[in-house]
Amino acid sequence: MRLSLLFAVLNLKQNPRRTMLLMLGLAGAGFLVVLFESVVAGVTGRLVDVSSALTTGDVNVGGVYKAEVYRPVPILKNGSAVRALLAADESVTASRERLRSGALLVGAKGFFSGAIEGVNLADEPRLRSVLQVLPGKGDLDALSRPGAAVLFEADARALGVDVGDVVTVRSRDVGAMPTVADFDVVAIVRDMGLVGSQIMFAELSAVKALYHLAPEATGSVQLEVATGVSSRAHEERVRNALATNTKLEVIPSASRSHFGYLRPAREAKWLGERAAVTTRRDEMVGIAWVQDILAIVGTVTQLLIAALLLLGLMNSMWVAVRARTREIGTMRAVGMGRSGVVGMFLFEAALLGLGGGLVGAFVAAGAVSVLQAVPVDMPVAALRHVFMSDTLLVRLDPSSLLSVPLLLSGVALLASIAPARAAARIPPAVAMREHH
Amino acid sequence: MILAVGAVRAHARRSALVTVVLAATTTALIVGGAVVSSIEVAIEDSVARSWAGHLQVFPAERPETASLIESVGRSSVVHRFDAPEKLVNDVEQVAGVEAVVPLSTWTVTLSAPIPADLALGGLRRALRHGAWDDVELFGAVLRQTAADVASAFERQSDLSLADRSAEVSAARRVADPAYWENPQGRTAEILAGLEADLEPLLGESKRRSFLALGTNPKAFESVFPRFRRTGATVPAPSGRRGFLLHEGVYDALLETSWGEVFRLLRGANGASPEAVERRLGGLASNLPSASGAILARLSREERAAVKAALDEFQGETAGTLLEALGRFLTLDLQDLPALEKKRAFYEAELRERVGEHLVEPGDLVVLNAFSSLGFPTAQQLVFEGTFVFQGQEGLDQPVISMLTDLETLAAFIALPTAEDRRDFELLEKEFEGLDDDDGSSADIEAAWFAADDDATGDADAAPVNVAPSPDDGLSDPAPETAPSPTVNARAVSDRVAPVMGLAVVAAPSTSLSALRDTLSAALGPTYRVADWQSSAGLLGTAGVAFRAVFYAALAMLFAVAALIASNLLLIAWADRTRELGTLRAVGASRPLLVLALLVEALLLAAAAVVVGGVVGAAICQVLSTVGIPAPDPVLAFVFGGRALFPTFQLVHVAGAAILVATTAMVAAVYPAWTSSRSSPREAMS
């Protein structure tokens, strides 16, 4: 085994030009794969950041309250108690209350049917980090004031309101009775592309007052869990916690968003309160397809690249086997076994793949940090909109620095199996006779 | 060239590998390209052939970012044409334009009549005509409704801070049988009590705001092939205005639970009895109030016939129609034959008579909106029927939910009339004066309300002023009043319905960008011409995003292919040092050798395009029959239906040919240069 490794290294050294060229090819592929993965990670990371800030935690518990047939409302009656119970889990790193409802927003010059979402600023570090207040357009901190609200730029323009103006919100309360309240615009924030429009974030207690809700009632409790705990796994934990510690009945999972459970609840026979436990993926219905498409295109491209590499490497290995037939014969003659020959070629391929992959991956890592330091503008408005960013976001997953080289050496190994076995089968006598 | 062909022949296996690598990228390009361009065609079809046309013409002052389907109706500023008819004529004259359709959009709210409302109507009629059986029938429905309302409020008491005790006691009063005793002598009393007690509690159970499209319906239908009416269409009688509703909205908003029951029975063939029963169980609790809606739609004779039929089905005669309907549903459903029996009975006996929706084509419906000035407008319109946009049936939230004529939409928008504007100007002046005077708040209030009375009076009248009388016809918006284009938009005659944009359908095989330029030049700077991508907002740009992602992936693939091909060629040609040296020895110059090697690479690329093209075409052929299923409604829109059927396009082969040839050249340059370096002597030795 050690001998095979030694010979593999020697072979690589002996033929520096060939080694260089093969390494270059593999490094190029490694570079592209790592770069592409970083772009995908950057884009999906942004999607996750934005959705974490605006709409969903890793796991959410949303209420479905039915006081009468046909009219479920997205209210969790004992929101505070549920939050206290679930936040006690050691893997929960943060929790917050949200209260969202459809409403008619009326401003000085315009109006639209949109949504209002009640937030408690003290629990919202993520919202703070994602929302960008336009220069001179107020202060996000003021959102903690009772009755305060924050609007997106396009919405503020449509309503014809500025910081300091009032937006009148009309809706119906939990009893379907008309209700109205004024909210003070304390800040106007940049538009967020795909998800940031026709929604107003407002101070939670004022939104509860608008819907005549008791203080402990809320819309949903959103939990953030420690990295390493999967949403699905934690969803199960939340279900169990609710089942054992509360009388709250949980609607069986149907992979819908919180509001997606309202429609089936409309026709259902039961009255009273139930909870819908949802994951981030469930809530990201509107933008998950961006992630899906990137994942599909990424996988298909990587498979094709792997196939191309396989072809190329297999060819050069065949060439190497033929070129070294005599050499192999000598080695066999002096006592190297068949497995030794196979091992030699496999080691050679694996080393090539690993080396090329490492070089490519680290160059890509350099390119990623350059892209992070000097942001590149998104070329098309559509991309800015869909990816919710003005610049190309890249995020290096450190594990890909190792996984991609390993993957490449795997491909190289696969490519060299057949040539190596063929080389091992050559009888020493034939090999020795062979003239180049 | 001869050298190259000879070389390819001589080294068939080596050459084959390079060809395979290049062919794989060709296939990826052809299949990927077919998918992406099919998506683009599907989106274009979903948008351009459904409602938007290929190009849109807008007034120049309309913000460029405003998409046709998103932003209109969100703002009080209505950007419209000064003289729409003339403009339509002008645009129609432009070569390459196949059809022009005027469009306006506005947000309209439909409040579904609630079943109890309809029962209340039935009760009123019954009391007036002294039909005491009916009073009993509808009374039972309303008693149930009142009891539901009361218990709902009671149940909410721990959730809501609002005090509803007065409402609860009012509802309890109506739910009490004592309230309904001896109706013969207490007609007026019962009616007054209902109005005071029950009506305020009923509220609106379902309402939805959506985008309504005002257009010339006849032209719209003939121009847009994806617009399709479904079910029966009942045209509004002359002198009445009407509208069409998207089928999805119609079902979601106006279907009674009875309708769902019947739909369930119709579709029960494939479902398990348990599943059907579960659904029915859920619906059964809603039926008392829903039956009020259905019964109110029937004449007395029809009701008698329905009851007789139900009794026959049950094999007994007892109780009221309400009870009979209830029994029809709660019949044992454990076995499929019972379900089948019900379904057959429904098909044979009930279907014709019992309505499934709260509103059927031909009924009058009240629709609400906020006018351009923000005050509420309402119209009672004839519901003429339903429509869908073909390929987008799966979307819960259709982009366009309602279609009506321009004049009807104009009445919702209610642009201020000349009189309104004068009043507002006066009001503004008065306000300014008050500010200067530092007048007391009482003065301000007095001035406000004095002026406000006028304004409100006019505002209320505005829809009538704006809308031409029904005799004007739906598609003939009073051309004689059209002012010259030089007139300011604000002074446009109040009698012309606003047209906010034109949808322009291009003649087949017209270049859209060329047509766009021609149109822009022909119309001048007062108009802006946009393509469907920008007008469709996010939907239009989705295709661009798909293409960008695809190009990025393709670029990567070609880069890798170039690297590998380069490697392969280097190895292949390194083996031919001897041969190349010989050639040099017999007098071939180095550039000639490089050229020969490059031609060889090109030949390989050509073979790759042929092989890859055939494979790609075969894959496309399979995909175009099998289809790529759309996993969710958003993608269904992007795919233009439940599945995407990518079609093979020659243009992609052409693109592949250029790209692969370039890749092969790039890949071959270095190997060709190094291989040709071999000196004759070295080669021969």
Side-chain angles (χ1 to χ4, degrees):
Chain A
M1 191 62 124
R2 275 206 6 230
L3 204 61
S4 302
L5 183 59
L6 186 70
F7 276 120
V9 174
L10 279 177
N11 276 338
L12 289 174
K13 268 179 145 177
Q14 202 180 18
N15 228 331
R17 211 179 70 152
R18 172 175 166 275
T19 309
M20 272 289 291
L21 281 169
L22 285 177
M23 287 269 271
L24 193 71
L26 285 159
F31 171 79
L32 287 170
V33 170
V34 171
L35 195 64
F36 191 73
E37 276 187 358
S38 301
V39 170
V40 171
V43 169
T44 41
R46 174 71 179 166
L47 293 183
V48 169
D49 281 353
V50 168
S51 65
S52 302
L54 299 189
T55 50
T56 175
D58 292 318
V59 179
N60 314 295
V61 180
V64 179
Y65 194 94
K66 262 178 91 178
E68 57 190 303
V69 290
Y70 261 146
R71 230 177 53 77
V73 290
I75 303 291
L76 194 59
K77 196 167 74 181
N78 283 315
S80 327
V82 169
R83 183 178 169 193
L85 167 74
L86 297 176
D89 188 311
E90 71 276 3
S91 63
V92 172
T93 53
S95 68
R96 65 186 183 198
E97 270 182 55
R98 286 291 181 95
L99 176 56
R100 174 183 286 222
S101 178
L104 183 76
L105 309 188
V106 185
K109 283 202 182 120
F111 52 86
F112 58 83
S113 296
I116 179 168
E117 180 136 344
V119 297
N120 186 355
L121 197 65
D123 295 335
E124 299 283 353
R126 282 183 176 271
L127 191 66
R128 271 168 181 276
S129 68
V130 163
L131 294 185
Q132 291 174 289
V133 178
L134 294 172
K137 293 289 184 186
D139 178 10
L140 212 51
D141 290 334
L143 187 57
S144 55
R145 286 210 300 264
V150 169
L151 279 172
F152 285 106
E153 195 181 355
D155 291 347
R157 211 181 312 121
L159 294 173
V161 294
D162 204 342
V163 173
D165 291 344
V166 161
V167 171
T168 303
V169 178
R170 300 170 26 143
S171 189
R172 284 173 181 271
D173 73 1
V174 286
M177 292 295 164
T179 176
V180 66
D182 286 347
F183 287 81
D184 303 315
V185 179
V186 297
I188 294 173
V189 295
R190 280 192 58 180
D191 287 335
M192 301 274 299
L194 207 52
V195 287
S197 71
Q198 308 210 0
I199 182 164
M200 182 170 88
F201 287 96
E203 186 270 325
L204 185 63
S205 72
V207 181
K208 285 186 182 177
L210 171 69
Y211 291 101
H212 301 134
L213 281 180
E216 69 276 8
T218 194
S220 65
V221 172
Q222 309 191 340
L223 307 171
E224 223 171 277
V225 296
T227 46
V229 182
S230 85
S231 292
R232 283 280 167 223
H234 199 82
E235 185 195 355
E236 271 315 302
R237 269 159 79 165
V238 167
R239 282 176 187 278
N240 291 337
L242 290 177
T244 47
N245 298 314
T246 66
K247 284 186 197 144
L248 200 57
E249 199 175 322
V250 180
I251 302 173
S253 173
S255 296
R256 295 164 182 268
S257 68
H258 177 199
F259 276 61
Y261 284 103
L262 293 181
R263 199 174 141 71
R266 226 172 65 85
E267 275 87 28
K269 207 174 188 172
W270 56 271
L271 287 174
E273 190 189 19
R274 301 222 169 154
V277 180
T278 63
T279 61
R280 170 192 308 285
R281 171 86 206 184
D282 298 337
E283 296 289 342
M284 284 172 68
V285 275
I287 50 177
W289 60 273
V290 177
Q291 230 175 334
D292 291 350
I293 281 172
L294 283 176
I296 291 171
V297 172
T299 314
V300 170
T301 314
Q302 292 189 11
L303 279 177
L304 281 171
I305 287 178
L308 291 182
L309 279 178
L310 204 68
L311 277 175
L313 285 171
M314 211 184 261
N315 179 60
S316 58
M317 281 301 171
W318 278 117
V319 171
V321 167
R322 250 200 24 206
R324 300 213 303 257
T325 310
R326 213 184 148 83
E327 199 182 314
I328 295 163
T330 319
M331 284 174 184
R332 293 288 314 276
V334 299
M336 188 184 240
R338 287 192 172 184
S339 58
V341 175
V342 172
M344 183 179 77
F345 278 99
L346 292 188
F347 269 126
E348 195 182 325
L351 283 176
L352 268 175
L354 202 64
L358 278 173
V359 170
F362 277 92
V363 174
V368 166
S369 38
V370 169
L371 279 176
Q372 279 167 341
V374 191
V376 177
D377 285 345
M378 284 277 192
V380 199
L383 289 177
R384 287 197 284 276
H385 195 76
V386 172
F387 294 160
M388 294 180 279
S389 166
D390 288 348
T391 55
L392 181 66
L393 292 173
V394 284
R395 195 178 289 187
L396 182 74
D397 177 5
S399 71
S400 68
L401 286 183
L402 201 62
S403 68
V404 171
L406 283 178
L407 197 85
L408 286 178
S409 67
V411 170
L413 267 179
L414 207 65
S416 59
I417 287 175
R421 288 178 54 147
R425 269 201 302 273
I426 303 172
V430 176
M432 295 290 279
R433 267 204 309 275
E434 180 97 355
H435 287 278
H436 193 62
Chain B
M1 183 72 195
I2 295 165
L3 285 178
V5 175
V8 170
R9 272 205 188 143
H11 304 272
R13 222 185 77 193
R14 215 49 62 63
S15 313
L17 259 174
V18 177
T19 307
V20 167
V21 167
L22 293 176
T25 53
T26 307
T27 307
L29 191 154
I30 288 172
V31 175
V35 169
V36 169
S37 52
S38 306
I39 285 176
E40 283 178 318
V41 169
I43 297 176
E44 180 178 338
D45 252 24
S46 293
V47 177
R49 297 196 178 276
S50 291
W51 67 83
H54 298 102
L55 296 173
Q56 290 82 38
V57 179
F58 294 121
E61 70 262 29
R62 183 186 155 104
E64 224 165 289
T65 49
S67 87
L68 177 67
I69 51 170
E70 275 178 328
S71 304
V72 189
R74 298 217 298 162
S75 166
S76 57
V77 185
V78 177
H79 299 292
R80 54 164 172 163
F81 297 123
D82 295 348
E85 297 78 23
K86 184 180 175 303
L87 182 64
V88 168
N89 284 334
D90 288 352
V91 174
E92 273 171 348
Q93 301 306 315
V94 174
V97 171
E98 188 174 281
V100 183
V101 180
L103 299 176
S104 283
T105 52
W106 202 250
T107 305
V108 169
T109 305
L110 172 58
S111 303
I114 56 167
D117 258 340
L118 295 172
L120 208 57
L123 178 70
R124 285 212 182 87
R125 273 199 306 280
L127 283 169
R128 216 164 31 240
H129 297 299
W132 307 116
D133 292 353
D134 286 0
V135 172
E136 171 60 32
L137 179 69
F138 291 119
V141 172
L142 288 170
R143 266 208 306 280
Q144 183 65 48
T145 306
D148 287 347
V149 169
S151 43
F153 275 133
E154 277 170 357
R155 238 175 268 122
Q156 272 159 24
S157 61
D158 52 353
L159 180 71
S160 172
L161 294 179
D163 179 20
R164 301 285 186 221
S165 49
E167 283 89 349
V168 171
S169 57
R172 286 267 171 254
R173 211 160 39 242
V174 178
D176 187 354
Y179 187 90
W180 301 89
E181 269 167 26
N182 300 322
Q184 286 88 339
R186 300 169 49 236
T187 309
E189 191 191 331
I190 290 179
L191 276 175
L194 282 174
E195 253 158 54
D197 292 341
L198 191 59
E199 269 194 356
L201 304 182
L202 295 181
E204 292 151 344
S205 61
K206 287 190 270 183
R207 61 209 289 277
R208 200 194 262 190
S209 297
F210 43 70
L211 204 64
L213 188 73
T215 183
N216 175 348
K218 277 200 194 93
F220 188 87
E221 203 172 344
S222 67
V223 165
F224 292 110
R226 286 199 160 218
F227 172 82
R228 207 156 43 80
R229 294 189 190 218
T230 54
T233 302
V234 180
S238 74
R240 273 280 181 194
R241 299 179 177 287
F243 71 102
L244 294 166
L245 203 58
H246 189 279
E247 196 178 57
V249 176
Y250 179 60
D251 282 346
L253 206 56
L254 296 174
E255 193 173 41
T256 62
S257 18
W258 276 106
E260 288 177 60
V261 169
F262 294 141
R263 222 156 54 152
L264 204 61
L265 287 177
R266 278 207 298 280
N269 288 334
S272 72
E274 290 78 23
V276 176
E277 203 197 356
R278 209 165 41 240
R279 291 275 296 130
L280 280 183
L283 292 167
S285 57
N286 303 323
L287 288 176
S289 61
S291 29
I294 287 193
L295 301 183
R297 297 188 58 85
L298 305 179
S299 68
R300 293 197 71 186
E301 293 72 30
E302 283 172 324
R303 275 205 300 274
V306 168
K307 183 166 185 309
L310 285 169
D311 283 341
E312 196 183 322
F313 179 71
Q314 285 296 107
E316 55 183 296
T317 329
T320 63
L321 177 56
L322 208 57
E323 285 160 6
L325 278 168
R327 282 200 313 277
F328 172 69
L329 278 181
T330 46
L331 182 81
D332 181 31
L333 280 170
Q334 283 308 311
D335 58 328
L336 209 55
L339 202 63
E340 280 298 301
K341 202 171 146 197
K342 268 190 191 187
R343 198 177 62 80
F345 180 72
Y346 160 73
E347 292 286 349
E349 304 288 338
L350 300 180
R351 191 174 179 173
E352 290 300 305
R353 296 195 202 103
V354 183
E356 296 174 11
H357 288 85
L358 290 168
V359 172
E360 301 279 336
D363 287 355
L364 283 167
V365 177
V366 176
L367 290 132
N368 301 288
F370 287 95
S371 76
S372 58
L373 292 176
F375 58 79
T377 52
Q379 289 187 86
Q380 198 178 36
L381 303 176
V382 176
F383 167 55
E384 295 182 322
T386 52
F387 68 86
V388 290
F389 291 110
Q390 211 177 341
Q392 298 162 39
E393 290 89 347
L395 275 191
D396 278 352
Q397 295 267 341
V399 182
I400 304 282
S401 300
M402 171 183 155
L403 192 81
T404 187
D405 57 279
L406 286 165
E407 290 72 26
T408 308
L409 199 72
F412 284 119
I413 303 168
L415 284 176
T417 62
E419 275 173 82
D420 292 334
R421 280 192 294 274
R422 260 199 309 282
D423 284 342
F424 289 133
E425 272 160 31
L426 275 176
L427 202 62
E428 260 172 29
K429 269 183 203 143
E430 279 174 52
F431 251 135
E432 279 161 19
L434 285 172
D435 275 354
D436 293 346
D437 289 358
D438 187 24
S440 72
S441 62
D443 286 342
I444 296 174
E445 216 165 279
W448 235 132
F449 282 110
D452 201 32
D453 279 349
D454 288 348
T456 320
D458 275 357
D460 282 345
V464 182
N465 288 349
V466 173
S469 69
D471 309 83
D472 283 3
L474 295 184
S475 50
D476 178 22
E480 74 281 1
T481 56
S484 72
T486 50
V487 177
N488 184 305
R490 293 274 163 264
V492 170
S493 162
D494 296 322
R495 287 177 58 81
V496 178
V499 176
M500 299 174 187
L502 300 184
V504 178
V505 177
S509 68
T510 309
S511 151
L512 287 191
S513 55
L515 183 59
R516 187 180 163 174
D517 294 343
T518 322
L519 262 180
S520 300
L523 295 176
T526 43
Y527 301 101
R528 193 163 52 76
V529 183
D531 52 19
W532 64 268
Q533 283 99 331
S534 61
S535 297
L538 170 64
L539 302 167
T541 57
V544 182
F546 278 115
R547 196 156 24 137
V549 171
F550 168 65
Y551 283 166
L554 210 60
M556 259 174 69
L557 213 54
F558 270 92
V560 171
L563 272 172
I564 291 170
S566 179
N567 235 316
L568 289 175
L569 290 175
L570 204 58
I571 294 168
W573 290 342
D575 277 4
R576 277 158 49 191
T577 320
R578 219 186 148 80
E579 177 195 328
L580 296 172
T582 316
L583 284 173
R584 283 204 67 181
V586 299
S589 70
R590 195 168 171 197
L592 182 72
L593 277 188
V594 171
L595 193 69
L597 290 172
L598 290 184
V599 172
E600 190 181 328
L602 261 188
L603 286 175
L604 296 179
V609 170
V610 172
V611 174
V614 170
V615 175
I619 295 178
C620 286
Q621 190 57 41
V622 172
L623 285 180
S624 68
T625 44
V626 178
I628 305 170
D632 65 46
V634 179
L635 278 181
F637 184 95
V638 169
F639 284 5
R642 284 180 212 295
L644 182 75
F645 299 98
T647 45
F648 173 73
Q649 281 165 310
L650 269 177
V651 62
H652 292 130
V653 180
I658 296 168
L659 264 175
V660 168
T662 317
T663 310
M665 287 291 93
V666 170
V669 166
Y670 176 70
W673 187 249
T674 38
S675 317
S676 65
R677 203 169 44 196
S678 59
S679 70
R681 188 185 306 159
E682 184 189 323
M684 300 303 281
S685 63

